[in-house]
Amino acid sequence: MRLLVNIDHVATLRNARGEGVPDPIRAARVSEEAGAAGIVFHLREDRRHIKDDDVYRLKNAVTGLLDFEMAATEEMIRIALDVKPHLVTLVPESRQELTTEGGLDMKKVYDDYKNRVVPAFKEAGIEMSLFIDPNPEDIELTAELGCEAIELHTGVFANARQEIAIAQELERLIRGAKLAHKLGLKVNAGHGLDFDNIHRFIQEVPHLHDISIGHALITDAIFRGLYNSVKAMNDIITK
Ligand code: PXP
C-alpha cells in the first residue's frame, strides 16, 4: 500500500493571490522527500487550481508515480497523451461542483469509454484507473473495459457520522475491493480520507494499492507549520 499526495490545493492557495507561491511543484518535491510514492493532480476544465504549465513542470519534477486525474474530454485526453503520466484517473466532472462528487456512472459512459477513451490510452501505454463508487456492476464494467485499476470513492465513508452508516459503507468498500482484486484490477482509493478515518479504512479494506489524499494533508500542513512560521517572523521583528 502506498501514499499518493494530491497537491491541487497548494495551487488553490497560489491562485488566490495570482502570484507564484506557494508553488505546487515545490509541494510535490517535499511530498516525495517525505516518502510519498507519487503525486496526483487534477487538471480541471475551468483550471481552478492546477494550470497547464503546472502539469508540464510536474512531469519534469516528479520522480515517483505521476497520476493525472481528469475528465475524459477530448482536450484532457490530448494533454494527457502529450504529457504521458504513468497513470490517468478518470473522474466525472461538473463545473458547479466544489470537488468531485461521486464515481463514474459506468453504464452511462461504457460505450464511449470503450470506443474512444480506452483505445487512446492503451495505444499510448498509459495505465487507466476509473474513479467509481463500490458498486459491483461498475467494478465489473471497469474490468471488462480492460482498465488496470479502480479508484474506490471513499467520500461517502469519510463523510458518514453515524456508526451504522460508517460500517455499512465500509462493508460496501470491502466487498468492492475483494471483487476488483478477483477481477485482476488494482485497488486504489481516495476522497475525504484524513488522519482520523485512515486507520479504520486501511485496517479493514483489503488489497489496497495506492491511497490518494489531498485536502486533509494540505490543511494539516498549515497547522503543523504555522507555529514555526509565526515564530520565525516574530524573531525577525522583535530582535
Ligand atoms: N481521488 C479523487 C478521484 C479525487 O477527485 C480527489 C479530490 O480531488 C481525491 C482523490 C483526493 O481527495 P481529498 O482531497 O479529499 O483527499
Side-chain angles (χ1 to χ4, degrees):
M1 200 190 311
R2 313 184 300 180
L3 172 65
L4 304 184
V5 177
N6 177 317
I7 43 78
D8 291 348
H9 293 308
V10 178
T12 304
L13 197 55
R14 173 197 60 190
N15 299 349
R17 286 291 279 261
E19 292 164 18
V21 293
D23 186 358
I25 286 69
R26 184 172 173 194
R29 284 207 189 95
V30 171
S31 301
E32 290 202 294
E33 274 166 32
I39 301 298
V40 189
F41 65 89
H42 184 175
L43 184 67
R44 282 182 165 269
E45 185 196 7
D46 62 10
R47 310 299 200 267
R48 68 173 74 156
H49 36 58
I50 295 295
K51 314 273 187 200
D52 297 52
D53 175 52
D54 296 326
V55 174
Y56 289 91
R57 292 195 304 129
L58 283 166
K59 166 75 182 178
N60 286 332
V62 171
T63 57
L65 184 125
L66 188 65
D67 179 1
F68 187 156
E69 188 185 320
M70 55 182 267
T73 62
E74 280 302 300
E75 180 196 28
M76 287 305 149
I77 293 174
R78 183 174 42 73
I79 297 171
L81 293 179
D82 189 39
V83 172
K84 295 190 181 58
H86 303 101
L87 178 71
V88 288
T89 297
L90 299 161
V91 299
E93 190 175 300
S94 91
R95 264 181 179 257
Q96 293 76 27
E97 69 189 3
L98 289 177
T99 181
T100 314
E101 285 171 346
L104 290 161
D105 179 342
M106 289 308 297
K107 271 204 219 80
K108 209 162 117 192
V109 302
Y110 185 85
D111 287 340
D112 179 39
Y113 272 44
K114 186 173 177 188
N115 298 323
R116 185 179 64 93
V117 182
V118 172
F121 289 122
K122 283 273 176 211
E123 197 187 331
I126 298 170
E127 289 197 8
M128 279 164 284
S129 173
L130 305 195
F131 185 58
I132 55 176
D133 297 305
N135 300 320
E137 311 80 53
D138 288 335
I139 296 167
E140 278 158 8
L141 289 175
T142 304
E144 272 176 41
L145 279 176
C147 294
E148 286 77 11
I150 54 165
E151 180 175 327
L152 285 171
H153 177 222
T154 53
V156 175
F157 160 74
N159 289 331
R161 289 293 163 264
Q162 311 259 350
E163 173 51 30
I164 184 156
I166 298 171
Q168 228 169 41
E169 188 60 15
L170 209 48
E171 191 50 41
R172 271 172 27 96
L173 290 161
I174 292 167
R175 275 199 239 116
K178 285 182 180 165
L179 174 62
H181 180 72
K182 201 172 99 192
L183 294 172
L185 292 159
K186 275 185 211 158
V187 182
N188 300 336
H191 212 284
L193 295 173
D194 62 24
F195 282 92
D196 293 323
N197 61 32
I198 190 71
H199 302 278
R200 191 164 173 191
F201 180 70
I202 60 175
Q203 271 158 17
E204 297 198 25
V205 179
H207 310 302
L208 292 169
H209 195 265
D210 288 337
I211 312 288
S212 167
I213 307 184
H215 193 260
L217 286 173
I218 305 309
T219 52
D220 183 74
I222 292 175
F223 293 110
R224 277 189 210 248
L226 189 59
Y227 179 92
N228 290 331
S229 302
V230 171
K231 206 162 178 310
M233 183 60 81
N234 206 35
D235 282 350
I236 296 169
I237 288 172
T238 56
K239 283 171 194 164

